[in-house]
Amino acid sequence: MLQRLLVLGSTGSVGDSILDVVARHPDRFLVHGLSAHRRVDKLYQQCLRFRPAIALVTEPQHAIELQAHLLAAGLATEVLCGEDALCEAARACDYDTLVAAIVGAAGLLPTLGAAQAGKKILLANKEALVMSGALFMDTVAQGNATVIPLDSEHNAIFQCLQGCAGDRDGVERLILTASGGPFRTRSLESLAGVTPDQACAHPNWSMGRKISVDCATLMNKGLEVIEAHWLFNLPAQRIQALIHPQSVVHSMVVMRDQSVLAQLGNPDMRMPVAHALAYPQRIESGVEPLDLTRLAGLTFEHPDVQRFPCLGLALQVLAEGGQASAALNAANEVAVEAFLGRRIRFTHIAQVVEQTLQRIDLPGHAGLEAILGLDHQARQLAREQVRVCGAQA
Ligand code: NDP
Ligand code: MG
């Protein structure tokens, strides 16, 4: 039986990894749908190659143009447009597996739709889970959906947890590894002057620009600790982040008996992608074999929250119960966009997030409306803060 895939965010970096693995296994996977935001030409090329039933875009003008091009090329692909169309497609019964690879809060509603509809969800879009935490996991449980993490650390933990054969009391703690990003060894003073291109030049992984900046600020690791908390149902104190510059150990699980299970491999997203697509089977991924004899060494150190305050802010939000997670995420999205647009400095990102968290009014409940309201309020506060920082820069 072919597994029918709806790949949301197919034009991104994770989308590339997904389609690369899918193309290696035409006997297993069928691309039902693809989606893009700005890179519509790339979506057109993907449609020519994978001939999906549907293609989704966000702008009506893009939809008209893409539909015309596809018709001219003799394809029957139907082009759909807008957030409602994304949600409807995610809830529909004509596919099996949702790949949630849209970046940021824009991925939340379609991913929740797939959870309600009981789909298998391959989750890359960590922002969606960070924003909605308990609601997301409850929706997954109620909809009888399955989540398999694509984020390499969480995918590694998912794999290592098989080592306790369902005895979750046997798990003592999780260790999430982080490369430390391109500024791991830089002084705090020198960070004020770094450029977006420097921040996006990740030493080990090739990724979209937003997550690359998150890796440089270590906000990514903060979001990932929150992600791990929800995915694996463990309290913050039992989730540790360690800097591991080689990015070979993708994460670890420490068992009660002090056995430490780790998952290793070259840093290439096609590995977690192949695992998640084929789970519980194993398929060829295209990833270079790991040559252990060529590794100079594997090192681990504690992260420095003085130089990388975003990690501390995320950990604080989780320690306080996680209610402010949607605000943390929204403020970070606004700040990263402003940094990428050269409107604020790199070191302002943490300031924008911190000031937003200080000013936000937390709602008394955690339903979807409250989460979306928090997201909205935090974006407004963060934009004000961006203007303040921008005026100082
Ligand atoms: P990219 O920026 O490369 O791709 C993002 C995708 O989302 C693109 O297809 C983009 O469309 C689409 N998109 C952006 N904004 C919107 C919107 N408003 N509405 C609909 N679609 C939108 O990001 P990545 O692939 O790097 O990351 C995707 C997600 O996966 C993120 O949540 C990230 O944190 C997570 N992740 C990524 C990893 C990686 O290795 N890249 C590793 C682990 C997790 P378009 O390109 O057409 O504009
Ligand atoms: Mg990761």
Side-chain angles (χ1 to χ4, degrees):
M1 275 275 281
L2 285 172
Q3 194 181 148
R4 297 165 300 173
L5 308 174
L6 175 57
V7 187
L8 300 188
S10 64
T11 46
S13 162
V14 172
D16 285 342
S17 296
I18 287 279
L19 293 180
D20 184 284
V21 175
V22 164
R24 291 165 193 274
H25 302 279
D27 52 325
R28 284 179 175 264
F29 307 112
L30 180 94
V31 177
H32 165 72
L34 297 169
S35 97
H37 181 41
R38 297 214 168 90
R39 285 175 274 190
V40 186
D41 290 345
K42 183 166 177 182
L43 179 62
Y44 171 69
Q45 296 300 331
Q46 291 180 341
C47 288
L48 291 184
R49 183 157 183 215
F50 293 97
R51 309 179 83 81
I54 57 172
L56 295 129
V57 290
T58 51
E59 300 290 331
Q61 193 53 37
H62 287 156
I64 294 166
E65 288 164 16
L66 180 63
Q67 187 69 79
H69 284 129
L70 291 172
L71 274 174
L75 258 70
T77 304
E78 184 186 3
V79 180
L80 303 165
C81 179
E83 192 173 47
D84 288 348
L86 279 174
C87 293
E88 247 171 65
R91 281 195 300 262
C93 56
D94 46 8
Y95 79 102
D96 309 299
T97 300
L98 178 91
V99 181
I102 288 178
V103 62
L108 175 65
L109 295 180
T111 311
L112 282 178
Q116 274 162 359
K119 302 294 181 179
K120 173 176 164 186
I121 299 172
L122 309 193
L123 184 72
N125 182 206
K126 66 192 84 182
E127 295 92 345
L129 179 55
V130 166
M131 283 175 79
S132 60
L135 174 88
F136 188 102
M137 297 313 287
D138 287 350
T139 310
V140 166
Q142 279 159 19
N144 214 7
T146 313
V147 178
I148 304 185
L150 280 185
D151 211 349
S152 58
E153 296 77 0
H154 306 73
N155 184 270
I157 288 168
F158 184 94
Q159 294 193 45
C160 294
L161 282 175
Q162 322 253 308
C164 70
D167 172 23
R168 294 299 299 270
D169 290 342
V171 175
E172 185 182 284
R173 67 196 154 95
L174 311 179
I175 301 175
L176 291 178
T177 54
S179 70
F183 307 138
R184 181 174 57 90
T185 56
R186 302 263 308 229
S187 69
L188 180 58
E189 300 71 53
S190 74
L191 287 178
V194 300
T195 65
D197 283 346
Q198 286 172 320
C200 290
H202 195 282
N204 306 334
W205 297 91
S206 154
M207 305 177 289
R209 281 172 87 77
K210 191 267 178 179
I211 186 178
S212 295
V213 176
D214 286 348
C215 287
T217 60
L218 290 197
M219 179 59 95
N220 183 51
K221 213 45 54 180
L223 298 177
E224 289 187 353
V225 171
I226 301 175
E227 182 185 10
H229 162 73
W230 290 114
L231 281 176
F232 305 117
N233 193 21
L234 280 176
Q237 316 83 274
R238 286 165 63 191
I239 308 172
Q240 184 182 12
L242 282 183
I243 304 293
H244 166 51
Q246 297 82 18
S247 295
V248 167
V249 176
H250 296 311
S251 276
M252 294 174 262
V253 175
V254 183
M255 302 295 177
R256 262 202 186 176
D257 56 14
Q258 300 309 317
S259 283
V260 182
L261 270 62
Q263 189 260 344
L264 281 69
N266 279 317
D268 185 325
M269 279 302 286
R270 291 176 300 174
M271 189 164 38
V273 157
H275 167 266
L277 277 171
Y279 180 80
Q281 295 178 324
R282 295 283 183 167
I283 57 172
E284 201 265 325
S285 64
V287 177
E288 278 294 304
L290 179 65
D291 185 347
L292 290 164
T293 62
R294 292 184 62 187
L295 294 177
L298 299 177
T299 58
F300 301 90
E301 61 197 62
H302 290 290
D304 178 353
V305 287
Q306 305 300 324
R307 277 185 307 138
F308 300 103
C310 283
L311 174 60
L313 290 169
L315 296 180
Q316 191 186 332
V317 162
L318 186 57
E320 289 168 2
Q323 288 89 340
S325 298
L328 172 90
N329 177 67
N332 182 58
E333 285 191 28
V334 169
V336 170
E337 198 186 318
F339 168 67
L340 286 172
R342 294 179 175 269
R343 284 178 281 128
I344 59 171
R345 293 176 180 275
F346 181 78
T347 40
H348 285 145
I349 296 173
Q351 275 185 41
V352 170
V353 175
E354 187 177 14
Q355 292 295 321
T356 303
L357 288 172
Q358 278 181 12
R359 292 182 161 87
I360 199 94
D361 293 321
L362 290 179
H365 56 103
L368 183 57
E369 269 184 34
I371 290 164
L372 297 178
L374 199 53
D375 175 86
H376 181 74
Q377 190 200 147
R379 279 172 204 272
Q380 283 185 329
L381 290 170
R383 283 191 199 106
E384 280 167 28
Q385 211 50 48
V386 161
R387 280 194 286 276
V388 173
C389 292
Q392 294 165 358

